[in-house]
Amino acid sequence: IHFILLFSRQGKLRLQKWYTTLPDKEKKKIVREIVQIILARNQKTSSFIDWKDLKLVYKRYASLYFCCAIEDQDNELLTLEVVHRYVELLDRYFGNVCELDIIFNFEKAYFILDEFIIGGEVQDTSKRSAVKAIEDSDMLQETVEEYMNKPAF
Amino acid sequence: MPAPIRLRELIRTIRTARTQAEEREMIQKECAAIRSSFREEDNTYRCRNVAKLLYMHMLGYPAHFGQLECLKLIASQKFTDKRIGYLGAMLLLDERQDVHLLMTNCIKNDLNHSTQYVQGLALCTLGCMGSSEMCRDLAGEVEKLLKTSNSYLRKKAALCAVHVIRKVPELMEMFLPATKNLLNEKNHGVLHTSVVLLTEMCERSPDMLAHFRKVCLVPQLVRILKNLIMSGYSPEHDVSGISDPFLQVRILRLLRILGRNDDDSSEAMNDILAQVATNTETSKNVGNAILYETVLTIMDIKSESGLRVLAINILGRFLLNNDKNIRYVALTSLLKTVQTDHNAVQRHRSTIVDCLKDLDVSIKRRAMELSFALVNGNNVRGMMKELLYFLDSCEPEFKADCASGIFLAAEKYAPSKRWHIDTIMRVLTTAGSYVRDDAVPNLIQLITNSVEMHAYTVQRLYKAILGDYSQQPLVQVASWCIGEYGDLLVSGQCEEEEPIQVTEDEVLDILESVLISNMSASVTRGYALTAIMKLSTRFTCTVNRIKKVVSIYGSSIDVELQQRAVEYNALFKKYDHMRPALLERMPVMEKVTTNGPTEIVQTNGETEPAVLETKPPHSGMQPGNQANDLLDLLGGSDITPVIPTAPTSKPASAGGELLDLLGDLNLTGSPVSAPAPQISQPPFLLDGLPSQPLFNDIAAGIPSITAYNKNGLKIDFTFERSNTNPSVTVITIQASNSTELDMTDFVFQAAVPKTFQLQLLSPSSSVIPAFNSGTITQVIKVLNPQKQQLRMRIKLTYNHKGSAMQDLAEVNNFPPQSWQ
C-alpha cells in the first residue's frame, strides 16, 4: 500500500497515512486530485480506479470515504477486506464508531492504524490483538498526575 | 502564561468556525501560542501542543516548526510523550527533512527499551519512514528483534526488515539466517509478516529465490495453507467463515513467485491450488479475493492444463457476478491471460462484449481491450459491429484508442476490401476528430493499395465531407483521395454503388471551402491545396480556376501554404512541362509489417517529430566509452555528449511506415530510386513524393558552411529546416579528403550545449577516398526548442597514412537561418 486517505463527503481530510516519501506540496496535490475523482463517482461504479501507475481502492462507510492506493500486483479484493478490517478495529475500540469519534480522537485512529499496518503491509490478522495492544498502551499512558510529576529526560 | 488549551477543546473550537477565514484566524492565533510555548521549552505541555499542531497540519496548515519538538518528545521518558512524538515524526519528519537523521539515536535506544510497546513504536516508525542511512544504522537491531521469542515484536520486526530491504537492498543477506525458523511460528501475525518478508526477498533477488526453493519452502507453505483451510472455526482470524484470508492470499502470492518458471515447485503446489479453487466459498467478497489470487497464481506458474481451464472458468463465473468489483477483476485477469490461453477465453467472448455496455468506465476500458484481443478471422464481422456501436456511444477518452484498435483489427482480419473501406469510413465519420494523426498515413496507404476500390472510396469520402468538413483526419484523407482520384469521381465510374454526378467545379468548391474554413488545421489546408494542385492534371476544364487558387495562396500568411503555393505556381510557369509527370498517380506503396494483434495503443509515436528527438540517455549508453572520451576532452560541464545512434535497427516502427520509408532512404545515404536528392527530409510523403525536394532549395536557401578544414580533411555542413517542426534543423555533413591517401575508419562525433538535442544517423561509409573522389555523408538532426544559437563541438577520428588521427574542433559559424 502506498498511502491511505480518509475523507468526508464534503472532501475534508480526516486521516492521511503515507508509506512513500513525497514533498508536501505533491501530497496536497494528490489528495485534492483523488478526493475529486472519488467524490465524482456514482454508486453504480466499481470500487477500483486506475490512477497513474497505482490502483485506488475505495469504500464508503456512512459519511467517510476510505481510500487505499495499491501497486499493480496487489490484490484489489483483498484490499477491500483490509479496509473493512480497519473499520472493524475502529469499531471495536470506540464502540460503534462514527465520524466524530475519528475527528476528535484522530491520534487514536492513527495509533490503531499503525498497530494494524506497518510500511504498507498488514502486521496482524487477528481482530483482537491490535485493539488489545492499543488498550494496553493506553494503560501505559501516564495519568495527569503522574505526567506532571515524572521527569521528562 | 495560562495553560495551553486541550486538544479536544481546540478541535471543537475550530469546528465552530463558519468561514475559511475565521478558521484561519483561529489557527494562526493558536499557532502563535504554541510557538511561544515551544520557545519556553515547556516540558509539561509540549505533548499537548504538538498534538494540536498535528491536527492543524491535517487541516492543511504548515507545521514545520514542530519538527524539533517531536524529536524532544521521542526522547522523553514519558510514554504519552513518546506516542505523540513518534506520530508527529511519522507525519512531519519524512526523510526529506534535515532533522530526520537526529531520530536515529532515539530509535536505537527505544528498540532496546524494556517496554515492548515502546519498542513497537520505534519499529513502527522505522518501518514506515526510515531513510536509507537510518536503515543501515539500525538494521542490526532489527535483525536481533527478528529472532526474539516475543511474537508481538517479531511481527513488527519482520515488516521493519521489509522496509529496510526496500530502502537498502544490499542488506538483504543479513536477514537470511533469521528467516529459517520464521514459518514455524503458530502466531498468525508472525506468519503473515514472515510471508511478506520472504516474498520481498524472493521478488528482489533471484539468488534468494533459488535458495528458498532449495530449502523446501514450497512444501512448508503448502502445509500451512492446508491447515488453514482444513482447520475448524477460529474466531480470532475468521472473516465470514473463512479462516485468515489475508494469510491465505499472501501465501498464494508467495507460491506464485516460487512456482514461476519452475516445474518442480509448480508441481508441488498443483494439488493445493486445485483444492483452494474448488473449496472456497464464493458468496462473499472474501472468498472471491482468495479465488482471484489463486487464479493469478495458476496462470503464472507452470500448471497443468486442467488447472488452467479451471482457473479460466472461475474467471468466467466472475464475469457473470453481479458485483462490479468482481467483474472488473475478472476482466483484468482475462486480459493478462488472453495471449496464452486464447481459446479458453474465446468461450467467454459474448459476456465480455456485453461488458462494453456497462456503466463503469474502468470496466468498459478493460472490456474494450479484451474485445480487441479476441477479434479473429471468424468473428470479425460480429465483433466489429459491436465495437463500432461502442465507438459511437463511448466516452471521448476511449474514442482514440478504440478507433486505433478498430483500424488495426480491420487491417488484419478484413474479410473483403469493401468491408474494410466501409469500416474505415464508419470510424472516420463517427469519431473522426479522435482518430490519431498518424492513422491518416496508414489509411491513405491502405486506400492506394485497394486499387479496384478507388472510385468507390473517393465517392464515399466526397459524400462524407460534403456535409461536414470539421473532422480533421477525415478531411485530410478525403482531400488526399480527391486529389489523387478526382478524375474517377467526376467521370462517375463507381461500380460498387450508384455513381453520383459531380462536376469538376463542385469538387473544387469543396476543396476550397476546406481551405478557407476556420475549422481546418494548417496541416489539413496543406492537404487541400496539394489536392487542388494534383487535380490540375486530372481535370480538364478547370485548370484556370486551379491556377487562380494556387496563386492566391502564394501570399498566404501561413508559411507552409505560402511555400507550397509558390512552388506550385512555379510549376505552372517555369516547369509546366514537368507538371504531368510530377503529379502523376501515386504508385502502390510497399507496406512494412505492423505489430502483433493486441497492440491497441500503438507505438505510433514514431512519426517524424518523435524520430528527431534523441533517445533517452540510459538506453543509448552502450557506445559509452566514446561518449565519455568526448565528455572528458570537453570538460563536460555545459555540453551534453551525443551518442551516435543506429536507428536502422528498428526498420518497422509501427504506423509511421510511410514516413519511415523516406527515413530509411536517408539512413543508408546511398542514392535511391526516389527522385529526391539524398538530402534528408522530414517528408510530407503524402503530398506526392515529387513535389517537395525539388523546391526546398529554392525556397529555403540556407547557406552551407565549411565546418572543418584541416590536414586535407574538409567537412561541409548543409542545412534544411523541417517543415513540420520549426525547432528541428537537419544538417547533412559531407566529408571529403584532398590528400593522396584514403582516410579509413572515419568516425564523426558531435556534442551540443545542454538545451539542444541531437541525433546522429548512420554515415554512408567509413572510408573517405583520396583526391576528393568521393565523400562520406552523414545526417545530423538537431532539436532546438529554445531557438538558441547553435554551437557544436566535433571530434573526428580516422586512420590516415598508417597512423591514427584524432582531432577536436568547435563549429561556431552556423548561419542564423539554421537555428533561428
Side-chain angles (χ1 to χ4, degrees):
Chain A
I1 301 182
H2 279 226
F3 56 83
I4 301 181
L5 300 174
L6 261 73
F7 52 91
S8 71
R9 291 247 291 274
Q10 287 79 38
K12 282 192 135 319
L13 198 59
R14 298 295 175 210
L15 191 147
Q16 53 173 333
K17 186 78 188 182
W18 298 82
Y19 296 106
T20 55
T21 313
L22 289 167
D24 245 350
K25 255 172 67 173
E26 187 75 36
K27 286 186 195 170
K28 285 203 179 142
K29 201 166 114 196
I30 291 178
V31 171
R32 258 201 313 265
E33 213 182 298
I34 293 184
V35 169
Q36 223 178 4
I37 295 176
I38 293 184
L39 288 178
R41 307 259 289 183
N42 67 40
Q43 299 280 38
K44 301 283 186 175
T45 54
S46 68
S47 296
F48 312 128
I49 306 175
D50 290 319
W51 182 79
K52 300 209 180 156
D53 58 338
L54 298 170
K55 299 191 274 200
L56 296 176
V57 178
Y58 73 94
K59 192 147 178 214
R60 203 185 109 212
Y61 287 87
S63 56
L64 266 184
Y65 281 93
F66 288 69
C67 172
C68 290
I70 56 176
E71 289 178 349
D72 212 26
Q73 65 260 34
D74 290 330
N75 185 327
E76 298 97 318
L77 298 177
L78 194 73
T79 311
L80 280 176
E81 292 301 318
V82 169
V83 169
H84 190 74
R85 174 54 67 86
Y86 179 50
V87 174
E88 278 180 340
L89 291 175
L90 288 170
D91 197 55
R92 198 177 255 250
Y93 180 78
F94 288 109
N96 281 331
V97 67
C98 62
E99 190 182 346
L100 276 180
D101 287 324
I102 300 187
I103 295 174
F104 278 94
N105 298 291
F106 71 94
E107 82 277 14
K108 296 268 166 54
Y110 273 108
F111 293 150
I112 296 177
L113 183 60
D114 286 334
E115 200 57 44
F116 179 42
I117 297 182
I118 289 184
E121 306 284 352
V122 170
Q123 351 165 359
D124 204 322
T125 55
S126 145
K127 288 186 212 171
R128 278 188 322 119
S129 67
V131 177
K132 180 166 185 306
I134 298 291
E135 285 169 350
D136 286 348
S137 300
D138 285 346
M139 300 293 257
L140 267 190
Q141 280 199 208
E142 297 83 359
T143 64
V144 178
E145 240 185 70
E146 285 173 346
Y147 188 85
M148 295 299 178
N149 293 329
K150 197 167 169 187
F153 301 111
Chain B
M1 197 179 148
I5 64 174
R6 299 172 165 269
L7 173 63
R8 311 271 179 269
E9 199 57 50
L10 177 68
I11 298 179
R12 205 166 295 136
T13 319
I14 291 182
R15 281 172 64 79
T16 61
R18 270 161 298 150
T19 65
Q20 183 78 321
E22 219 180 305
E23 181 183 284
R24 212 181 337 216
E25 213 182 292
M26 291 180 188
I27 301 238
Q28 271 174 351
K29 211 169 91 186
E30 186 59 37
C31 273
I34 294 181
R35 279 182 136 115
S36 24
S37 180
F38 283 163
R39 266 195 295 269
E40 289 174 13
E41 296 282 336
D42 185 300
N43 284 332
T44 341
Y45 295 113
R46 185 178 290 124
C47 177
R48 187 186 288 182
N49 285 328
V50 169
K52 287 187 287 188
L53 199 55
L54 291 178
Y55 178 71
M56 296 190 283
H57 173 75
M58 185 154 67
L59 292 177
Y61 297 92
H64 45 272
F65 55 91
Q67 287 172 4
L68 267 175
E69 305 301 316
C70 290
L71 282 176
K72 293 183 197 159
L73 283 176
I74 294 176
S76 157
Q77 282 187 39
K78 304 186 217 180
F79 184 69
T80 320
D81 283 357
K82 280 191 192 284
R83 250 182 150 187
I84 297 288
Y86 275 115
L87 180 61
M90 283 195 271
L91 288 176
L92 301 177
L93 275 176
D94 61 41
E95 58 189 346
R96 299 172 60 258
Q97 312 301 336
D98 304 322
V99 295
H100 178 86
L101 266 181
L102 295 175
M103 272 199 291
T104 316
N105 216 25
C106 286
I107 294 189
K108 187 167 190 171
N109 290 336
D110 282 340
L111 281 175
N112 293 315
H113 204 273
S114 48
T115 316
Q116 69 172 11
Y117 293 112
V118 174
Q119 289 174 293
L121 282 177
L123 278 170
C124 179
T125 309
L126 182 58
C128 281
M129 38 80 83
S131 62
S132 332
E133 293 85 31
M134 272 170 91
C135 287
R136 253 184 259 267
D137 286 338
L138 299 171
E141 304 292 328
V142 175
E143 201 256 340
K144 223 170 36 182
L145 287 170
L146 196 49
K147 298 197 276 222
T148 173
S149 52
N150 180 336
S151 50
Y152 177 78
L153 290 177
R154 219 169 171 199
K155 67 184 188 204
K156 289 183 194 279
L159 287 185
C160 204
V162 171
H163 180 82
V164 168
I165 292 177
R166 282 181 183 159
K167 281 286 186 196
V168 191
E170 302 88 60
L171 291 175
M172 208 188 314
E173 296 284 327
M174 195 171 155
F175 296 108
L176 188 52
T179 61
K180 262 211 285 250
N181 292 323
L182 276 178
L183 289 183
N184 294 332
E185 271 270 357
K186 287 268 187 308
N187 179 302
H188 279 229
V190 179
L191 273 177
H192 186 273
T193 56
S194 308
V195 173
V196 174
L197 178 57
L198 290 168
T199 312
E200 189 71 27
M201 287 170 128
C202 289
E203 270 177 346
R204 281 186 184 260
S205 154
D207 292 331
M208 286 287 180
L209 186 56
H211 166 87
F212 283 121
R213 279 187 185 139
K214 248 196 337 215
V215 299
C216 298
L217 190 58
V218 175
Q220 240 187 328
L221 291 170
V222 170
R223 212 172 347 110
I224 300 176
L225 194 49
K226 207 170 196 153
N227 282 338
L228 275 178
I229 308 177
M230 303 304 234
S231 70
Y233 178 69
S234 147
E236 218 181 294
H237 302 108
D238 175 272
V239 180
S240 304
I242 299 189
S243 185
D244 207 339
F246 302 104
L247 184 55
Q248 287 195 36
V249 168
R250 284 314 307 221
I251 291 183
L252 286 165
R253 186 158 151 186
L254 182 52
L255 284 175
R256 180 154 84 238
I257 298 175
L258 288 169
R260 205 178 273 160
N261 290 329
D262 188 270
D263 290 320
D264 293 327
S265 307
S266 302
E267 212 187 300
M269 47 179 98
N270 264 323
D271 285 339
I272 191 70
L273 288 175
Q275 207 177 358
V276 175
T278 40
N279 287 343
T280 312
E281 269 274 337
T282 57
S283 52
K284 292 269 174 74
N285 183 55
V286 206
N288 289 323
I290 297 181
L291 277 178
Y292 175 41
E293 196 74 29
T294 316
V295 166
L296 287 178
T297 303
I298 293 178
M299 300 316 290
D300 218 6
I301 65 173
K302 302 219 166 212
S303 49
E304 50 186 38
S305 59
L307 206 49
R308 294 180 91 87
V309 171
L310 180 59
I312 299 216
N313 287 342
I314 293 180
L315 289 179
R317 263 202 319 247
F318 274 4
L319 273 182
L320 300 169
N321 196 308
N322 281 329
D323 188 340
K324 291 201 171 298
N325 297 332
I326 311 249
R327 287 215 294 279
Y328 175 96
V329 143
L331 285 172
T332 314
S333 319
L334 282 172
L335 201 50
K336 287 193 205 146
T337 64
V338 73
Q339 299 282 37
T340 42
D341 296 82
H342 193 89
N343 293 330
V345 182
Q346 277 283 0
R347 248 181 279 143
H348 302 282
R349 188 165 43 90
S350 47
T351 333
I352 294 173
V353 168
D354 279 338
C355 288
L356 280 174
K357 309 198 182 84
D358 201 295
L359 291 166
D360 182 320
V361 167
S362 324
I363 290 187
K364 272 204 268 211
R365 174 169 283 279
R366 276 164 175 67
M368 178 181 85
E369 287 175 13
L370 205 45
S371 304
F372 281 127
L374 288 176
V375 174
N376 63 27
N378 295 329
N379 58 31
V380 68
R381 279 189 200 263
M383 290 292 273
M384 272 308 163
K385 222 171 25 192
E386 293 287 341
L387 287 167
L388 283 169
Y389 180 70
F390 176 67
L391 181 64
D392 233 339
S393 52
C394 71
E395 285 84 351
E397 62 220 43
F398 289 139
K399 295 212 190 213
D401 288 331
C402 191
S404 308
I406 293 183
F407 284 145
L408 253 185
E411 214 172 285
K412 287 173 69 83
Y413 301 112
S416 75
K417 288 226 160 107
R418 162 139 184 201
W419 179 93
H420 196 171
I421 300 229
D422 280 342
T423 311
I424 292 179
M425 289 290 310
R426 178 88 188 268
V427 174
L428 284 177
T429 43
T430 19
S433 28
Y434 297 99
V435 169
R436 289 212 175 84
D437 289 339
D438 43 300
V440 172
N442 271 345
L443 294 176
I444 291 183
Q445 183 191 31
L446 195 59
I447 294 175
T448 10
N449 286 341
S450 354
V451 176
E452 65 278 10
M453 304 293 300
H454 285 170
Y456 173 69
T457 314
V458 71
Q459 183 164 297
R460 286 213 57 190
L461 283 170
Y462 174 76
K463 283 200 274 193
I465 66 169
L466 208 47
D468 161 33
Y469 43 87
S470 62
Q471 307 198 74
Q472 300 304 298
L474 174 60
V475 176
Q476 286 170 15
V477 176
S479 313
W480 192 91
C481 284
I482 295 178
E484 279 291 313
Y485 310 121
D487 46 330
L488 295 176
L489 183 60
V490 177
S491 60
Q493 282 180 20
C494 183
E495 288 164 0
E496 299 279 342
E497 63 173 23
E498 188 69 34
I500 56 176
Q501 309 288 7
V502 185
T503 67
E504 296 183 1
D505 276 304
E506 283 171 337
V507 175
L508 287 173
D509 280 341
I510 190 77
L511 285 175
E512 276 192 60
S513 339
V514 170
L515 263 179
I516 300 173
S517 162
N518 285 330
M519 296 186 281
S520 300
S522 179
V523 168
T524 316
R525 277 189 243 254
Y527 273 91
L529 187 58
T530 308
I532 293 182
M533 187 61 195
K534 284 191 216 169
L535 289 173
S536 71
T537 46
R538 294 164 179 51
F539 281 178
T540 45
C541 356
T542 45
V543 184
N544 283 325
R545 180 173 172 185
I546 294 178
K547 270 198 208 166
K548 219 168 34 168
V549 173
V550 167
S551 60
I552 292 177
Y553 281 90
S555 44
S556 156
I557 298 181
D558 185 324
V559 180
E560 172 69 27
L561 279 185
Q562 191 190 106
Q563 177 176 339
R564 288 182 194 217
V566 165
E567 292 168 11
Y568 296 154
N569 245 336
L571 248 190
F572 273 125
K573 300 204 172 80
K574 283 205 287 178
Y575 299 93
D576 204 39
H577 52 284
M578 293 168 76
R579 191 163 48 87
L582 283 174
L583 300 176
E584 219 171 45
R585 187 85 94 221
M586 287 288 282
V588 174
M589 294 177 215
E590 264 301 310
K591 176 91 169 158
V592 186
T593 49
T594 51
N595 290 331
T598 53
E599 296 279 324
I600 294 156
V601 181
Q602 294 187 40
T603 51
N604 262 337
E606 300 286 343
T607 48
E608 270 311 295
V611 173
L612 296 170
E613 284 160 36
T614 343
K615 299 201 172 43
H618 53 263
S619 67
M621 266 307 165
Q622 287 88 2
N625 289 329
Q626 292 177 336
N628 284 337
D629 286 343
L630 200 57
L631 190 55
D632 289 340
L633 290 168
L634 301 177
S637 48
D638 63 331
I639 303 231
T640 48
V642 166
I643 296 96
T645 52
T648 41
S649 55
K650 49 148 192 75
S653 72
E657 295 93 335
L658 293 180
L659 306 175
D660 269 345
L661 275 181
L662 199 55
D664 279 338
L665 294 174
N666 294 324
L667 296 174
T668 54
S670 50
V672 193
S673 52
Q678 35 79 308
I679 297 178
S680 90
Q681 277 291 334
F684 247 172
L685 184 63
L686 314 161
D687 301 313
L689 203 46
S691 61
Q692 279 277 44
L694 272 178
F695 298 107
N696 213 338
D697 283 334
I698 300 174
I702 307 175
S704 43
I705 59 168
T706 302
Y708 177 89
N709 193 350
K710 220 158 82 166
N711 297 331
L713 174 61
K714 181 154 97 85
I715 300 189
D716 291 328
F717 283 8
T718 39
F719 304 94
E720 257 110 52
R721 299 298 296 271
S722 158
N723 287 328
T724 44
N725 186 345
S727 313
V728 169
T729 308
V730 179
I731 306 177
T732 309
I733 70 157
Q734 295 205 307
S736 56
N737 170 8
S738 62
T739 67
E740 59 286 351
L741 274 181
D742 293 357
M743 294 174 180
T744 55
D745 298 317
F746 179 78
V747 175
F748 174 91
Q749 284 168 283
V752 284
K754 273 214 167 68
T755 52
F756 297 81
Q757 279 182 13
L758 205 135
Q759 186 185 19
L760 217 50
L761 305 181
S762 317
S764 57
S765 88
S766 64
V767 174
I768 318 181
F771 300 114
N772 289 328
S773 52
T775 60
I776 288 183
T777 334
Q778 194 167 4
V779 174
I780 311 171
K781 294 181 183 169
V782 179
L783 182 66
N784 179 9
Q786 297 183 19
K787 303 269 185 197
Q788 297 206 342
Q789 175 168 22
L790 184 54
R791 285 164 31 225
M792 195 185 279
R793 278 205 196 149
I794 58 178
K795 177 175 170 189
L796 312 158
T797 46
Y798 54 94
N799 287 332
H800 188 233
K801 296 183 182 160
S803 48
M805 308 276 291
Q806 190 178 282
D807 198 4
L808 282 178
E810 184 149 342
V811 184
N812 279 326
N813 51 337
F814 287 97
Q817 302 98 306
S818 64
W819 49 267
Q820 263 171 355

